Amino acid sequence: MAAPSHRRSLRRRRFTAVSAAVLAAGTGAGVFVLHAHAAAVDLYHQTLPAKDGWAASGTGTTGGAKADSAHTFTVGTRAELVKALGSASDTAPRIVRIRGTIDANTDGSGRRLTCSDYAAGTGYSLAAYLRAYDPATYGRSKLPSGTQESARAAAQNRQAEQVEFKVPANTTVVGVPGTNAGITGGMLQIQNVDNVIVRNLAFSATEDCFPQWDPTDGSAGNWNSDYDSVTLRGATHVWADHNTFTDAPHFDRANPKHFGREYQIHDGALDITKGSDLVTVERNRFTDHDKTMLIGSSDTDSTGRLRVSIHHNVWKGIVQRAPLTRLGQVHIYDNWYDTTTVDGYAPQYSIDSRARAQVVAEANYWTVPSGGKVAKLLSGDGTGSVAGSGNLVNGTATDLVAAYNAASSKKIRTAVNWTPTLTAGLEPAAKNLPTSLATTTGAGVLQ
Ligand code: CA
Ligand code: CA
């Protein structure tokens, strides 16, 4: 961890640059203070500041900042978004400005598509699926297979073709201020590409019409869905900044149960898996969601990768995975976790360190309602580490690992194998985060 004196000198330099930039730009707007280096650059062309987390490593993250006019788009419909994203083979710098909310479940003429539209012609129906794979007759030892499972997969593929948006390398996808910019019902897929920026977008209602039953998942089986609002798979140099994530308007409390288990239509909000690396997740609002952020999709996801910085985000109404970390070096600082139950989302834990994850969690603020247990803010499998100090619970300095370990048989380790150095903007004091982050996070803040 950076020595305090080093941090102070970093901040001093930063504030000097801020003053000059603010004077030059003739504005004192707070958002310019956050990205002082780019005060003269518009929202669409801004790049990740130097040393701002793991995504600043090496070549840094510039997205589509160098886009020419032929690769600069403003889009307002699903069809326009697909066209603007082009193909994975065209890696010319690209800026895609989203104006208003794009509904992923709409056809070329803007007609709203329903789950029934995707299922039509496949032979799938939930009633038939439930009859085919009822544990009372099908058992619990094997995954569904056969006519109804094939039909379900076919219907799911049809929805996937509609709602998955593949982002090519060297791209900035950014919301136009003042337009409620975002994507509803969709998934931005950043897969096996480098250098992507996602900013100022509200992601909502990413839902799978066709959850799959897995009787072998856990002790009682689970319904699993595809589609994260934003998914990173084998992606490098990604900056997710000032976005909002929510399940609204369909909250999990409305999900029915089948086979005694919640029929879960949501997957992750922002998942970082399959060897993704060098990611900065900054000033987002994660709200009203269960499985929020997965870093590493299995205990063998990849080694030497999954390096992620997560700072100045708000997590409110989150059940779990904020984040769930595996294998990687993950820096979690200056976040505000509000563990009050919101819209029926009752928190289970915030940070899970497993599969030898090397987490540094420092200067975060937890709001815990009366009756909430500090020992349950963390989770682990006995192999993960969590280091770091300066964490506050309801304003009081708290050793979260000590509290967790005192109540758990699978202890979290406290030694980590690395020291964060890409820490621009790190505030060692968490005390004011609930106030400062309330107005400086999520979509709609940037101008
Ligand atoms: Ca899943
Ligand atoms: Ca996922």
Side-chain angles (χ1 to χ4, degrees):
M1 180 172 317
S5 60
H6 175 58
R7 279 202 205 132
R8 268 198 301 276
S9 70
L10 264 183
R11 286 206 308 284
R12 195 158 48 236
R13 280 204 302 280
R14 200 173 150 72
F15 283 127
T16 304
V18 166
S19 307
V22 166
L23 285 173
T27 174
V31 293
F32 284 104
V33 175
L34 301 178
H35 300 290
H37 77 294
V41 178
D42 69 60
L43 169 68
Y44 312 113
H45 291 85
Q46 284 169 1
T47 60
L48 179 67
K51 298 200 176 204
D52 188 350
W54 272 118
S57 186
T59 54
T61 302
T62 59
K66 293 191 174 136
D68 60 21
S69 58
H71 291 87
T72 301
F73 306 89
T74 302
V75 301
T77 67
R78 177 193 173 276
E80 289 169 355
L81 175 60
V82 170
K83 194 172 174 203
L85 289 171
S87 71
S89 59
D90 182 358
T91 59
R94 180 185 305 264
I95 296 172
V96 179
R97 296 185 290 224
I98 294 181
R99 178 182 287 279
T101 303
I102 289 177
D103 187 344
N105 291 290
T106 49
D107 70 10
S109 56
R111 185 178 70 96
R112 168 105 187 133
L113 297 172
T114 66
C115 295
S116 302
D117 291 318
Y118 299 124
T122 66
Y124 172 84
S125 81
L126 178 58
Y129 191 86
L130 293 174
R131 279 195 301 274
Y133 306 112
D134 187 332
T137 50
Y138 188 76
R140 293 185 171 273
S141 61
K142 58 182 193 294
L143 281 168
S145 68
T147 306
Q148 268 302 307
E149 171 55 22
S150 298
R152 186 204 63 78
Q156 190 177 53
N157 285 340
R158 287 176 64 179
Q159 186 183 17
E161 283 171 21
Q162 186 73 23
V163 302
E164 293 180 355
F165 301 104
K166 296 177 176 63
V167 182
N170 307 314
T171 295
T172 296
V173 186
V174 52
V176 175
T179 69
N180 291 321
I183 297 174
T184 189
M187 172 165 93
L188 279 187
Q189 182 173 313
I190 306 169
Q191 183 162 331
N192 299 331
V193 297
D194 181 62
N195 192 26
V196 172
I197 296 173
V198 178
R199 302 184 80 192
N200 198 35
L201 292 168
F203 296 94
S204 61
T206 302
E207 300 172 1
D208 190 341
C209 288
F210 308 102
Q212 183 183 36
W213 171 242
D214 181 354
T216 70
D217 182 351
S219 58
N222 273 313
W223 291 96
N224 290 314
S225 282
D226 280 354
Y227 318 127
D228 313 319
S229 293
V230 177
T231 202
L232 278 56
R233 298 173 185 158
T236 50
H237 290 111
V238 178
W239 182 30
D241 174 59
H242 282 94
N243 303 293
T244 296
F245 297 82
T246 178
D247 288 349
H250 179 144
F251 299 130
D252 279 349
R253 66 185 176 200
N255 289 340
K257 280 189 176 180
H258 297 301
F259 305 153
R261 302 294 291 165
E262 180 182 359
Y263 190 66
Q264 178 57 273
I265 59 173
H266 303 111
D267 194 24
L270 169 53
D271 281 3
I272 302 165
T273 61
K274 301 195 188 305
S276 291
D277 198 20
L278 307 176
V279 178
T280 298
V281 179
E282 173 174 0
R283 295 206 185 258
N284 301 282
R285 290 181 71 83
F286 296 96
T287 64
D288 293 329
H289 197 83
D290 186 344
K291 298 180 277 187
T292 303
M293 182 183 293
L294 192 58
I295 300 180
S297 57
S298 78
D299 288 357
T300 56
D301 185 293
S302 57
T303 52
R305 299 175 71 91
L306 298 171
R307 290 173 292 181
V308 182
S309 301
I310 300 167
H311 72 88
H312 292 94
N313 301 283
V314 173
W315 311 77
K316 184 181 176 77
I318 299 304
V319 176
Q320 58 178 325
R321 302 186 181 177
L324 183 156
T325 63
R326 291 181 168 112
L327 298 154
Q329 295 174 332
V330 179
H331 194 197
I332 303 171
Y333 59 95
D334 292 333
N335 293 277
W336 175 30
Y337 292 91
D338 184 344
T339 67
T340 310
T341 296
V342 179
D343 296 322
Y345 292 87
Q348 292 175 3
Y349 68 85
S350 301
I351 300 168
D352 187 341
S353 180
R354 56 201 304 111
R356 306 182 310 286
Q358 304 291 306
V359 176
V360 177
E362 58 180 323
N364 299 290
Y365 191 108
W366 271 266
T367 298
V368 175
S370 78
K373 291 197 170 56
V374 174
K376 295 207 159 186
L377 298 179
L378 302 180
S379 183
D381 66 352
T383 70
S385 296
V386 177
S389 59
N391 296 301
L392 305 182
V393 174
N394 296 340
T396 301
T398 303
D399 186 336
L400 300 179
V401 177
Y404 172 85
N405 283 347
S408 310
S409 56
K410 294 176 178 173
K411 311 293 186 195
I412 290 175
R413 302 172 187 194
T414 54
V416 293
N417 63 6
W418 70 298
T419 301
T421 57
L422 302 168
T423 59
L426 190 154
E427 303 172 71
K431 181 163 53 83
N432 294 323
L433 289 172
T435 304
S436 64
L437 296 185
T439 54
T440 57
T441 53
V445 168
L446 295 170
Q447 297 298 313

